[in-house]
Amino acid sequence: ETGVTQTPRHLVMGMTNKKSLKCEQHLGHNAMYWYKQSAKKPLELMFVYSLEERVENNSVPSRFSPECPNSSHLFLHLHTLQPEDSALYLCASRLISGREDSGANVLTFGAGSRLTVL
Amino acid sequence: AQSVTQLDSHVSVSEGTPVLLRCNYSSSYSPSLFWYVQHPNKGLQLLLKYTSAATLVKGINGFEAEFKKSETSFHLTKPSAHMSDAAEYFCVVSAPTGFQKLVFGTGTRLLVSP
């Protein structure tokens, strides 16, 4: 285990459903991320919560809604999704410190939540 | 803008033979570079990282990578493949500006046969 826990591991939902993905870390990290992993495509960063500030990828549809109630927990709320949203959703965390522009601080990933939209 | 190109989508080797996974990067400054591995049904795990110290970087499980600025490459190697090395490998470059702080390659799937 990496220290980043994602639930559920698998989720099947209809297009009219509302569901949520959960991520939890107790590594003392102060930044958390949602990534989307689709076949044959690079990982796509969706949302970042860093030092309590949210940054988002403007290309992510509004049917995805993140929530970060504290530095250890991150949610991704899903509603009226489309079949093309089926993917592996990965949560990651890291400790922001020092030379942020170097990218030297490493991400720790969870195992992912496999989402299938029917 | 920063980018990475993983030259092979699939690499097949026999157990006990060397592994070479190729990665070329593009960056307008001195980047940090990473290799991550993803085993089936698992998240990504850091194998190694280069951050402008030694150009030959050793990682976990016997992997290493060499940063070659003149060739803009950061290829991943291992002298002898093991069955447990079968996984997907991602080359990643840091990006200090913009939303995507880390830019991922599309991945190389390593297949290891007995």
Side-chain angles (χ1 to χ4, degrees):
Chain A
E1 293 299 325
T2 63
V4 178
T5 304
Q6 291 188 240
T7 54
R9 293 294 309 277
H10 299 273
L11 178 64
V12 179
M13 59 187 290
M15 289 192 286
T16 58
N17 292 158
K18 286 187 179 181
K19 297 285 184 183
S20 297
L21 306 181
K22 179 182 176 182
C23 177
E24 188 172 351
Q25 60 90 9
H26 295 289
L27 300 169
H29 290 175
N30 54 12
M32 297 186 77
Y33 304 74
W34 279 117
Y35 280 89
K36 178 181 180 182
Q37 185 178 26
S38 304
K40 309 283 189 224
K41 293 183 180 179
L43 259 69
E44 176 189 358
L45 180 60
M46 302 175 72
F47 301 101
V48 180
Y49 277 87
S50 172
L51 302 173
E52 301 182 3
E53 181 181 327
R54 170 176 143 183
V55 182
E56 58 190 84
N57 183 341
N58 291 330
S59 67
V60 175
S62 60
R63 55 186 183 267
F64 294 92
S65 173
E67 179 188 1
C68 189
N70 54 60
S71 60
S72 299
H73 295 85
L74 183 66
F75 295 89
L76 187 63
H77 302 302
L78 317 169
H79 63 98
T80 60
L81 294 192
Q82 304 297 309
E84 60 264 28
D85 297 323
S86 299
L88 182 67
Y89 289 85
L90 291 166
C91 174
S93 70
R94 71 175 176 131
L95 179 65
I96 293 182
S97 62
R99 298 164 53 221
E100 281 312 299
D101 60 345
S102 75
N105 296 310
V106 173
L107 290 173
T108 301
F109 283 87
S113 293
R114 173 74 60 188
L115 173 66
T116 302
V117 182
L118 301 177
Chain B
Q2 282 63 244
S3 67
V4 287
T5 302
Q6 292 185 244
L7 298 159
D8 306 293
S9 60
H10 292 81
V11 169
S12 294
V13 300
S14 298
E15 192 174 21
T17 63
V19 175
L20 170 64
L21 304 183
R22 298 182 295 166
C23 173
N24 285 97
Y25 70 91
S26 172
S27 178
S28 54
Y29 71 109
S30 295
S32 293
L33 291 156
F34 309 79
W35 276 99
Y36 279 84
V37 60
Q38 185 178 30
H39 287 92
N41 301 314
K42 297 283 180 67
L44 279 71
Q45 178 187 15
L46 180 70
L47 269 182
L48 50 81
K49 68 177 182 180
Y50 165 77
T51 55
S52 75
T55 56
L56 182 62
V57 182
K58 294 189 183 298
I60 61 172
N61 301 334
F63 284 93
E64 61 182 38
E66 187 171 8
F67 174 72
K68 292 187 176 180
K69 187 175 181 178
S70 60
E71 299 176 11
T72 61
S73 69
F74 190 58
H75 301 332
L76 182 70
T77 60
K78 183 174 181 178
S80 176
H82 193 274
M83 295 295 291
S84 61
D85 295 327
E88 186 132 24
Y89 293 79
F90 294 91
C91 183
V92 185
V93 65
S94 62
T97 60
F99 177 70
Q100 300 270 4
K101 297 297 185 188
L102 294 176
V103 178
F104 286 76
T106 51
T108 298
R109 183 164 297 279
L110 177 65
L111 306 168
V112 183
S113 55

